Amino acid sequence: MNYNVNEKGYYGEFGGAFIPEMLYPNVEELRQKYLEVMNEPSFKEEFNQLLKDYVGRPSPLYFAKRLSKKYNTKIYLKREDLNHTGAHKINNTIGQILMAKRLGKTRIIAETGAGQHGVATATVCALMGLECIVYMGEIDIARQAPNVARMKMLGAKVMPAKSGSRTLKDATNEAIRDWINNPVNTHYIIGSAIGPHPYPDMVTRFQAIISEEIKWQLKEHEGRENPDYVVACIGGGSNAAGTYYHYLHEEDVNIIAVEAAGHGVDSGESAATSVLGKEGIIHGCKTLLMQTPDGQITEPYSISAGLDYPGVGPMHAHLAKTGRAEFMSITDDEAMNAGLELCKLEGIIPAIESSHALAIFEQKTFKPDDVVVVSLSGRGDKDLQNYIEYFDI
Ligand SMILES: *Cc1c(COP(=O)(O)O)cnc(C)c1O
């Protein structure tokens, strides 16, 4: 079984590029050039240098001793929370800004929900001196004020999406409209392993640095490159794709994907796409998405803004369908408690997204000598208000 993208841009039956005809030249240009550009020695050198000196990589692989003791297994945390800007998203935006420059683009657009991808994009645009326009739903602008301020300080223009539910979906539509109107000088930086081919594969390859590092770091710790389990939370699926990438075809490595169950998978308020999703098209690719019987996309819900997405990337739809990955659903309450537990046991305040991945230890029992690597995708600074209200701190 192949778990990587095939020549036609598909993972099994999922993926492809379902785009308006006006966007065809842009996406086709990217499709034809992305691998060639990524393989250029000068590209690799610049990418790796920035990951080292600017992002702060390699991120540590930390053996969480007290957490391991509590759950009677060996738990390692891949510390993406220590990256510049506080999460894994910067790996992708660094890669894409270098790609945009190689393609001769001078203007960058992006969509953002909670603002994390907007901040990561504004950061790399400042770094490279490129114009940056971030589309964001009007509602999200109101509820994510600190990230809006960050983007503005970094020199980005934040454009409100005022149609529909005025959230992420509408911001994405606005970004696509912009790209159609500015096809020559503009690159669209998508923030997760989603979108039309080649985006899911390109984003996955930029995030694959995560599992590349885990391999040699685990070898140092345990004398072997392969853990028994790799675990990551899934919104669109970029930190997960990067964590799994070099293990996809290693049969001794079990893959666990953690989705947000919100108030419960059957509550009508969740984002558990692998359970509730049906095949459909979202953001230009065929994948699993939550929809009504007549194909309208359902509003997702999760306490965590980064997991509050109605679809999953096509790679993950394929991993779910083939059974290569085990999918687990974690509720708001379970995630919040796991987040607080990490604070008390290890002195690390995790992003609420990452807390979902940590919560599996209450649901699933591992053997004492199992090595379980969990992607700690981001830090909890951005979620402080949420933690304060939830725990009445
Ligand atoms: C955005 C975000 C996620 C979810 O995005 P993926 O593309 O699924 O990785 C997870 N964790 C953090 C900290 C995030 O900021």
Side-chain angles (χ1 to χ4, degrees):
M1 184 74 75
N2 175 28
Y3 300 106
N4 287 323
V5 79
N6 67 21
E7 295 213 323
K8 299 204 163 108
Y10 279 82
Y11 300 84
E13 65 199 80
F14 303 106
F18 298 83
I19 48 171
E21 204 168 308
M22 302 280 286
L23 279 185
Y24 182 78
N26 300 44
V27 174
E28 180 59 15
E29 179 190 25
L30 197 60
R31 189 188 71 78
Q32 284 182 9
K33 295 191 178 153
Y34 83 109
L35 287 177
E36 189 186 312
V37 170
M38 286 181 74
N39 285 325
E40 281 168 15
S42 68
F43 183 94
K44 286 187 185 168
E45 195 180 319
E46 199 176 355
F47 182 55
N48 289 330
Q49 192 76 42
L50 285 170
L51 288 183
K52 178 166 173 276
D53 297 338
Y54 189 71
V55 176
R57 303 203 73 94
S59 68
L61 182 69
Y62 167 67
F63 176 61
K65 198 169 167 191
R66 301 223 301 143
L67 193 67
S68 297
K69 184 151 189 264
K70 164 142 193 206
Y71 291 105
N72 196 26
T73 191
K74 288 183 175 174
I75 304 171
Y76 284 86
L77 303 177
K78 182 57 174 160
R79 300 289 310 274
E80 295 300 299
D81 61 315
L82 294 176
N83 293 342
H84 178 46
T85 70
H88 65 289
K89 287 193 170 74
I90 191 87
N91 303 327
N92 170 45
T93 56
I94 293 261
Q96 285 204 48
I97 198 96
L98 295 179
M99 179 67 61
K101 279 189 19 170
R102 296 294 194 287
L103 298 177
K105 310 292 179 182
T106 54
R107 184 174 174 273
I108 299 296
I109 57 171
E111 86 294 335
T112 196
Q116 294 302 110
H117 173 56
V119 170
T121 303
T123 299
V124 297
C125 286
L127 179 69
M128 294 295 164
L130 295 188
E131 185 185 357
C132 181
I133 296 105
V134 179
Y135 289 93
M136 190 169 184
E138 209 170 34
I139 303 256
D140 290 333
I141 288 179
R143 61 186 177 189
Q144 304 289 345
N147 276 341
V148 175
R150 284 187 185 102
M151 286 183 263
K152 287 184 177 166
M153 286 186 74
L154 293 161
K157 199 161 148 194
V158 181
M159 299 288 287
K162 298 180 177 178
S163 62
S165 58
R166 294 178 289 155
T167 56
L168 178 60
K169 170 168 64 65
D170 313 288
T172 304
N173 290 338
E174 294 287 333
I176 288 173
R177 200 165 301 148
D178 180 312
W179 210 20
I180 290 174
N181 290 327
N182 300 283
V184 179
N185 66 345
T186 299
H187 175 71
Y188 178 16
I189 299 191
I190 294 183
S192 190
I194 51 169
H197 177 67
Y199 276 99
D201 186 49
M202 180 172 66
V203 174
T204 296
R205 285 167 185 266
F206 289 139
Q207 293 290 0
I209 184 69
I210 299 174
S211 47
E212 191 184 313
E213 289 174 2
I214 294 172
K215 283 203 140 184
W216 63 260
Q217 291 173 320
L218 198 63
K219 177 104 182 165
E220 282 181 7
H221 282 283
E222 292 284 337
R224 55 173 160 128
E225 291 186 341
N226 290 6
D228 298 291
Y229 293 86
V230 281
V231 183
C233 66
I234 297 208
S238 69
N239 89 90
T243 304
Y244 307 160
Y245 187 76
H246 290 285
Y247 295 120
L248 286 170
H249 299 96
E250 302 282 321
E251 279 171 21
D252 57 333
V253 181
N254 298 288
I255 296 176
I256 298 181
V258 187
E259 292 184 316
H263 291 143
V265 170
D266 301 319
S267 68
E269 288 179 287
S270 90
T273 312
S274 72
V275 187
L276 302 169
K278 298 267 178 311
E279 201 176 298
I281 289 170
I282 184 171
H283 294 172
C285 66
K286 192 199 277 185
T287 189
L288 293 174
L289 68 132
M290 290 165 42
Q291 51 189 313
T292 60
D294 57 352
Q296 295 291 336
I297 293 171
T298 318
E299 269 306 309
Y301 165 79
S302 165
I303 192 168
S304 136
L307 304 185
D308 189 357
Y309 182 72
V312 287
M315 176 204 269
H316 302 294
H318 184 51
L319 294 178
K321 183 100 182 199
T322 56
R324 174 67 182 96
E326 175 185 356
F327 278 69
M328 297 178 70
S329 314
I330 294 295
T331 63
D332 288 0
D333 293 336
E334 290 162 345
M336 294 305 273
N337 287 321
L340 190 62
E341 179 176 79
L342 192 74
C343 299
K344 308 282 187 208
L345 286 181
E346 298 288 348
I348 299 171
I349 303 177
I352 298 177
E353 291 85 357
S354 320
S355 299
H356 283 73
L358 295 164
I360 66 160
F361 295 103
E362 285 289 337
Q363 278 194 10
K364 185 177 170 79
T365 307
F366 295 88
K367 294 200 230 69
D369 57 358
D370 276 344
V371 170
V372 186
V373 175
V374 181
S375 167
L376 201 70
S377 54
R379 68 178 86 125
D381 305 31
K382 68 182 177 64
D383 296 320
L384 219 52
Q385 197 53 40
N386 252 330
Y387 280 123
I388 289 169
E389 281 164 26
Y390 186 88
F391 290 111
D392 204 9
I393 294 165

